[in-house]
Amino acid sequence: MSNKDIAIVGLGYVSSLGSGIETFYNKIDQNLPTTKMDTYDPDGFLGKRGFRYFSKATKMYCNLAFQCIYQNKVNDVVELNKDRVGLYDGSELSNIEDGFVFDLVAKHDGPELVSPMSTPNTIANAAASQMAIQTKITGPNFSINGGTCSAIQAIDIASMHLKEGIVDCAIVGSTETISKYHKAIREGENRETKLPIANEYGVSIALERVETALENEQSIFGIIVGVISGQSYKEQSHENLLAFLIQELITNNGLTISDIDMIMVGSGAHNIDGVTLSSEISKTLGEIPKLFFPEMVYGNGDNAGGLTSILYAIGLFNKQLKEAKGYFIKRTIQTEGIEITPINAIVATIDKTGYTVVTLIKKYN
């Protein structure tokens, strides 16, 4: 195993069904529906005082980050050196409702009548910054705005900081929130998809260098082997770019297409055509492994799908998920699951602009 590999040592999930990774796997296995959340900090990590004016995205991100920290000895690493811990929020649209409300009040009633307590919620980095305040973490603090690619971009930056020795632990989270403003944006995009729309939920993972995780005798759920990104050029199709990046990622890591057990379009599936993608991958790589669209089961959203697909892959790695759903067959996405225990899985995300991020996830041992 390369010393550049990054270990996944903590997992978090929250939705209307509750919190914790088992909640996510139960949702997938039993096809449980989710709704708008009643509370965004169901575990009460933030306490009961002083949080009235926090945005729901901030509350959700903090809950997710706390989940990651307080499991698998991640807390030991965090408490040892809080200036060596990074917080990364891969969410672009989660605070948009708060920004709209702030601007509308200022326009309608005048700037002097806008509540100053609402101001932090209009800042792009509000969620990760608030988590830093709550925990006194003083390492890098980032929000990544890349549309459907946001979550995997956040992993890419966090992995770079780990490899360069800037941090010893990275907490990456992404959230999906719903409001009339989110719905208006989705309608304005004219998404042509039969995938179900994602409801409110959030996902997080904790990352460390493999050697750090082994030294601290931590559980390792999976390995981030590599990340690669690109932008479509001129008349290049999204599907052609995606196939090219998958080829580059596989080649750069000394693998062949036969080593890849599944490719998941984890976020932004509405921006590509499955038939065309299958054809492009087949032309580029000579053959195509099993292709999945897991948004079929957790919903087509704005931010978190890429990170959710990593949880999905981990569940299959460790047999916490019974079957893999969202399998692409000819021209349709199969709703019933198939049995698969992958060793190597690729998670791809693609924005409507053609920007694409692809990551290779590997089962540990």
Side-chain angles (χ1 to χ4, degrees), residues 50-292:
F51 307 109
R52 176 181 176 185
Y53 296 100
F54 281 16
S55 72
K56 52 192 179 184
T58 295
K59 293 176 184 177
M60 199 189 307
Y61 177 86
C62 290
N63 179 281
L64 292 163
F66 273 114
Q67 282 187 54
C68 275
I69 290 172
Y70 289 102
Q71 65 172 312
N72 305 307
K73 299 184 180 180
V74 176
N75 186 48
D76 295 341
V77 177
V78 172
E79 291 297 328
L80 186 63
N81 286 303
K82 291 191 174 183
D83 61 334
R84 302 277 300 168
V85 178
L87 296 168
Y88 308 82
D89 182 12
S91 306
E92 180 170 15
L93 292 175
S94 290
N95 270 0
I96 195 169
E97 178 182 17
D98 303 272
F100 267 110
V101 170
F102 184 94
D103 291 344
L104 288 170
V105 172
K107 181 178 180 180
H108 185 268
D109 299 327
E112 68 278 3
L113 294 181
V114 177
S115 170
M117 301 302 292
S118 300
T119 305
N121 296 331
T122 66
I123 300 171
N125 202 42
S129 296
Q130 190 58 54
M131 183 61 189
I133 293 170
Q134 294 299 312
T135 56
K136 296 181 173 59
I137 288 174
T138 57
N141 192 296
F142 279 83
S143 286
I144 293 85
N145 298 322
T148 54
C149 296
S150 295
I152 301 299
Q153 274 187 293
I155 289 174
D156 193 14
I157 294 171
S159 298
M160 178 184 69
H161 287 176
L162 285 163
K163 292 174 184 178
E164 296 296 325
I166 298 172
V167 298
D168 294 325
C169 179
I171 309 296
V172 182
S174 187
T175 58
E176 300 280 0
T177 56
I178 300 296
S179 71
K180 62 182 180 181
Y181 304 103
H182 291 85
K183 292 177 181 178
I185 289 173
R186 289 175 174 180
E187 290 173 1
E189 287 184 345
N190 294 317
R191 295 186 184 181
E192 295 182 4
T193 178
K194 294 181 180 179
L195 296 170
I197 297 298
N199 225 313
E200 293 186 321
Y201 78 93
V203 180
S204 60
I205 62 174
L207 303 174
E208 294 176 9
R209 291 181 293 275
V210 171
E211 58 266 29
T212 302
L214 293 176
E215 287 172 6
N216 290 288
E217 299 182 344
Q218 292 169 284
S219 298
I220 298 178
F221 298 102
I223 302 293
I224 304 289
V225 178
V227 183
I228 191 170
S229 62
Q231 174 70 51
S232 58
Y233 180 68
K234 292 186 177 179
E235 301 302 319
Q236 183 182 26
S237 70
H238 294 178
E239 294 84 359
N240 179 263
L241 171 66
L242 189 48
F244 172 76
L245 291 176
I246 289 171
Q247 179 190 40
E248 288 294 296
L249 183 64
I250 292 172
T251 303
N252 291 348
N253 287 282
L255 301 175
T256 66
I257 185 62
S258 61
D259 296 314
I260 306 302
D261 302 296
M262 61 189 306
I263 294 174
M264 294 184 284
V265 182
S267 186
H270 57 282
N271 295 314
I272 62 168
D273 176 75
V275 175
T276 305
L277 178 61
S278 297
S279 175
E280 288 291 342
I281 294 176
S282 180
K283 286 192 296 184
T284 304
L285 295 165
E287 61 178 285
I288 181 170
K290 292 182 172 65
L291 177 63
F292 290 84

Side-chain angles (χ1 to χ4, degrees), residues 15-33:
S15 73
S16 61
L17 298 172
S19 64
I21 191 63
E22 291 303 323
T23 301
F24 174 70
Y25 293 142
N26 286 338
K27 170 192 166 38
I28 300 301
D29 276 337
Q30 300 176 33
N31 197 29
L32 301 176

